[in-house]
Amino acid sequence: MKTNTMSYKCKQFAMFAGVTTVVFAAVVIIPFLYGLYLTFTSWDGVSTQKPFVGMANYVSTFADTAYWQALGRTFIYAIIAVILVNIVAFILAFLVTSGVKGQNFFRAGFFIPNLIGGIVLGYIWKFVFNRALVALGESLSAGALSTSLLATSGGAMFCLIVVSVWQYAGYMMLIYVAGFMSVSADVLEAAQIDGCTNVQTLVHISVPLMVSSFVQCLFLTITRCFMVYDVNLSLTKGEPFGSSVMAAMHVYNQAFTYKNYGTGQAEALILFIVCAVIGVLQVYIGKKAEVSA
C-alpha cells in the first residue's frame, strides 16, 4: 500500500513539476556546481585543460584590492540607489492610487522605463549626459552643465544612480500599488471615523499593512543593484580611470577579459554570498515586522 502511494506521488510530481525541476537543474543547479568546481582550477576559459590549484583563486581574490574597491563602490551605489528607488516608487504609487485623473495612464508611463533593456538604456542616457545636457549648459552659460557628468568619478556614479532610479522605480511602483490596494477599505474608513488625518492614516495604517510590499521591493532592488552590469557597461564602461567599475563588471573583466576564469568565478561566488546574505537578512527582518489587518 505504501509502495503504491509513493509511486502515485512520484507520478504526480513528475507530471506537475518534473519538467520544471529538470530545467531548473539544467540552467541553475548544474552550472552553479560547475562554477564552484572551476574556482579550484586555473582555467583560462578557452583551454581544454583545467589544472587544479586548490584555494589559490580564493587567496588571489582576497589579495585583489581592485575587487574589494569595486565591491565597496557597489555597496555605496546600492545603498543610495535602493533608498532612492523605493522612496520614488512609494511616492509614485501613492499618487497613482489617490484617485488622480488618468492614473492608469500614469501607471503605464512610469512602468515603461523598466521594459527598456539595460544596454539600450545606458546608451540613451549616455547621449543625454554627454550631448543634451552639455548643449543645454552651454546655451545657458551654466558652468556646471557645460562638461559631461560622466567625465568625473563622482559624476559617473551620480549618473549610474540616476539611471537606476529611473529604470527600477516604475516596476517597484506596481508592487507598492498592489500594497496600497490590499489595504482594506473598512480599515481606512474606520481610521477616518476616528478622526485620523490622511497623513496619520498613511503612516499608522497603510504603511504597517504594506510591510510585505516593502520586503519584496527592497529584496528586488538590493539584488538588482548588487548585480548591475549592463547599465554600468553601456553608460560608463567603468570610466573615468576605472572609478565606476562595479563588482559585476570587475568579475566579468577578470574572467573574460584577463582570462583568469578561476579567479573571476571565485570573486563571483563571494559576490553571490554577500548579496544572498544581505537579501536573506533583509527578508527575515522584514517578515518579522509584518502585521495583519
Side-chain angles (χ1 to χ4, degrees):
M1 188 67 178
K2 290 184 178 180
T3 303
N4 292 337
T5 303
M6 286 294 296
S7 176
Y8 177 72
K9 288 183 177 180
C10 289
K11 289 179 180 179
Q12 276 190 321
F13 179 84
M15 180 182 298
F16 292 105
V19 175
T20 305
T21 303
V22 171
V23 172
F24 180 77
V27 302
V28 177
I29 302 300
I30 295 175
F32 179 82
L33 295 176
Y34 182 63
L36 183 62
Y37 158 72
L38 291 177
T39 64
F40 300 103
T41 71
S42 60
W43 188 42
D44 60 5
V46 179
S47 173
T48 57
Q49 302 296 322
K50 300 181 179 65
F52 185 80
V53 295
M55 300 296 292
N57 289 323
Y58 292 97
V59 174
S60 298
T61 296
F62 284 103
D64 187 357
T65 56
Y67 173 69
W68 296 106
Q69 288 174 353
L71 188 58
R73 205 176 292 125
T74 305
F75 264 101
I76 296 172
Y77 156 80
I79 290 171
I80 298 173
V82 166
I83 293 173
L84 291 179
V85 165
N86 284 278
I87 290 175
V88 173
F90 183 82
I91 293 173
L92 293 177
F94 177 74
L95 293 176
V96 298
T97 54
S98 60
V100 66
K101 187 176 181 180
Q103 61 184 25
N104 290 333
F105 171 80
F106 287 117
R107 289 181 192 179
F110 293 138
F111 180 73
I112 286 176
N114 190 74
L115 301 177
I116 305 174
I119 295 292
V120 176
L121 196 64
Y123 283 121
I124 292 173
W125 277 93
K126 190 173 186 177
F127 172 81
V128 172
F129 290 124
N130 281 344
R131 301 292 183 85
L133 290 181
V134 171
L136 179 63
E138 290 176 349
S139 64
L140 297 175
S141 298
L145 293 177
S146 297
T147 57
S148 174
L149 288 170
L150 295 172
T152 63
S153 58
M157 291 295 292
F158 172 78
C159 293
L160 275 171
I161 293 170
V162 168
V163 175
S164 298
V165 173
W166 191 79
Q167 181 183 19
Y168 299 144
Y171 181 77
M172 303 307 156
M173 176 200 69
L174 294 184
I175 299 177
Y176 285 124
V177 166
F180 274 112
M181 297 179 67
S182 68
V183 178
S184 173
D186 294 336
V187 176
L188 298 178
E189 185 178 352
Q192 291 179 348
I193 293 173
D194 289 338
C196 292
T197 64
N198 291 335
V199 175
Q200 290 174 328
T201 302
L202 176 65
V203 174
H204 299 292
I205 304 296
S206 297
V207 170
L209 293 176
M210 291 173 57
V211 171
S212 60
S213 297
F214 285 101
V215 170
Q216 295 174 44
C217 288
L218 286 172
F219 178 79
L220 290 174
T221 47
I222 286 171
T223 52
R224 289 188 177 194
C225 287
F226 266 95
M227 299 298 179
V228 66
Y229 174 75
D230 48 4
V231 173
N232 192 192
L233 175 66
S234 58
L235 183 63
T236 70
K237 292 185 179 179
E239 301 299 333
F241 310 111
S243 61
S244 64
V245 174
M246 297 295 168
M249 176 174 282
H250 180 86
V251 168
Y252 178 90
N253 291 339
Q254 188 73 266
F256 298 103
T257 303
Y258 309 135
K259 306 301 181 183
N260 298 324
Y261 202 92
T263 304
Q265 193 68 29
E267 293 177 349
L269 181 63
I270 292 174
L271 176 61
F272 167 77
I273 292 172
V274 169
C275 186
V277 169
I278 294 174
V280 169
L281 284 176
Q282 174 263 315
V283 171
Y284 173 75
I285 294 171
K287 287 293 184 182
K288 292 187 68 175
E290 285 189 16
V291 296
S292 58

